[in-house]
Amino acid sequence: MGVLIIEAFYGGSHKQLADLLLEVFENSVLCSLPAKKWHWRARTSALNFMQTVPASDQYSILFASSVLNLAELIALRPDLGKLKKVLYFHENQLVYPVRKSQERDFQYGYNQILSCLVADVVVFNSLYNMESFLTNIRGFLRLMPDHRPDDLEGLIRPRCLVLHFPVRFPDVSKFLLPHCKRIHLQSTAAVKEETFLVQSVTTPQQNVITGNLMENSAQDQEGVPFLTQLERPQNPVATSDEIEVSNIPWNAKSGQQYGENFVTPSGNISETLEEQTPLHIVWPHRWEHDKDPETFFQVLLKLKDLSLRFNVSVLGETYTDVPDVFLKAREALGNSVLHWGYLPSKEDYFQALCMADVAVSTAKHEFFGVAMLEATHCGCYPLCPKALVYPEIFPAQYLYSTPEQLFKRLQNFCKRPDIVRKHQYKGDIFKYSWASLRSGYKALLEPESVVSL
């Protein structure tokens, strides 16, 4: 029996997850709509899928993201109501940031509540996502003028659990110079397909499925030992004697524009990269207001006003309306910019992350944060707000409470970039990998599986 995967917004992390499930589950079928005009997908995609989802007795599971109004689809296609219905929340509309409260469209959050009420299992990509949704249902429904329903949180919570978004971390060792990124770096394929034992952690407040490494399973499928972040060698790529400096496949550390002719660093490589080359800061987020680019650029311009040396790469996907602050910041930052704009090639994107020393988030909205985890995997020192999902994922030393604290951290790193280049990450990103979480998803999507709630 197969899995029917319905994705109303087939792009970004939504696409990544759908593709992974399609790869793993035999006889699975994907029905999707392009990742455009999100608001219309949330409003009307059920009508489209009513007509385009083929009728079949081969489905046993229906897996959909919360962009879809699942309640509408089940009403329009009663045959799908017989399936085990799994609803996955990449984000939730009850706390999604808007610039003015009157701009919040009640319908989006209302759709998600209705979808939860018809789903058999409701899965959130983080505990923050789950709790911020469930605890805000009552307040959200106070927007109704009268005849408000009672205790919908109590109806929905028992079917909820947390299963982290599975990230496929690639092998990035070829992009890293040995004296530049002395941190958590695998020596072969970045995250191997390990065998994991998946446990359900159940408390009155949460249901979390996590991956735990089996005892005696420290080797991958090819027999190469997997190294944890604290066990990985300091210089897993090569030593300075083993590298042909003229063949180094990137040159951001020499201050050259991405894509120009490569320049061989002069003198000792370690000294050049750790002491002479300016700090390289990356911002790998969507170019939208909810990621708060205004705060990020204000901090950078404050550093520039103090004549502190740094380079910056501003990556991330752009949409129809790009905030004006990006054009103004590009002009103000001048020759500090190494790369500006979206990189459609994943290899180019990961190479750009490997060039950087520090990855910064200034988000006002984040329910998981794939970009910051990918940057950390590529050797960046993460700096994230002490809010949203970040305290759930990153140790306290990588969190800041105010823009002023962010400025002070970056000011220190600009003066001593070797601090971050020699730093060894103190957290564990492997538990968010597809290799770790795959068994949890397989257990969730078994037709006869019983989820511990």
Side-chain angles (χ1 to χ4, degrees), residues 185-308:
L185 169 66
Q186 284 95 342
S187 57
T188 55
V191 175
K192 296 290 187 179
E193 298 299 313
E194 310 294 329
T195 302
F196 280 80
L197 177 64
V198 178
Q199 298 177 341
S200 295
V201 181
T202 305
T203 71
Q205 296 296 321
Q206 65 187 57
N207 303 286
V208 184
I209 295 181
T210 58
N212 295 305
L213 186 63
M214 280 184 171
E215 293 184 11
N216 305 320
S217 63
Q219 292 192 343
D220 63 26
Q221 294 175 349
E222 299 175 5
V224 179
F226 175 81
L227 301 179
T228 66
Q229 287 149 340
L230 297 181
E231 297 170 334
R232 292 172 193 152
Q234 293 262 322
N235 299 317
V237 185
T239 67
S240 58
D241 295 332
E242 295 169 337
I243 281 189
E244 287 281 359
V245 176
S246 61
N247 292 328
I248 293 170
W250 53 275
N251 63 335
K253 298 300 181 184
S254 65
Q256 298 299 307
Q257 184 71 25
Y258 187 61
E260 294 181 1
N261 294 330
F262 299 144
V263 176
T264 302
S266 59
N268 180 274
I269 297 177
S270 177
E271 179 183 353
T272 300
L273 296 183
E274 293 183 3
E275 298 177 10
Q276 296 182 4
T277 308
L279 183 77
H280 185 174
I281 304 166
V282 65
W283 194 80
H285 310 285
R286 287 183 287 104
W287 291 23
E288 293 190 302
H289 286 290
D290 64 281
K291 299 303 181 183
D292 195 10
E294 290 85 359
T295 293
F296 176 67
F297 292 130
Q298 286 170 6
V299 168
L300 291 194
L301 293 176
K302 190 174 179 181
L303 295 173
K304 195 172 182 66
D305 288 342
L306 294 178
S307 299
L308 292 169

Side-chain angles (χ1 to χ4, degrees), residues 182-185 228-232 234 372-373 375-377 379-383 390-399 409 413 419-432:
R182 299 181 180 179
I183 49 175
H184 66 288
L185 169 66
T228 66
Q229 287 149 340
L230 297 181
E231 297 170 334
R232 292 172 193 152
Q234 293 262 322
M372 290 302 293
L373 280 170
T376 305
H377 168 70
C380 294
Y381 188 106
L383 285 175
Y390 293 120
E392 185 178 337
I393 294 178
F394 293 99
Q397 73 183 88
Y398 305 107
L399 307 177
R409 298 288 296 277
F413 293 158
I419 293 175
V420 292
R421 290 172 185 160
K422 295 176 180 179
H423 178 75
Q424 189 172 35
Y425 181 65
K426 305 304 181 185
D428 177 16
I429 64 171
F430 183 68
K431 64 182 179 180
Y432 304 109

Side-chain angles (χ1 to χ4, degrees), residues 330-343:
R330 177 65 184 88
E331 295 176 356
L333 290 169
N335 58 10
S336 296
V337 174
L338 286 185
H339 188 85
W340 195 267
Y342 177 63
L343 292 171

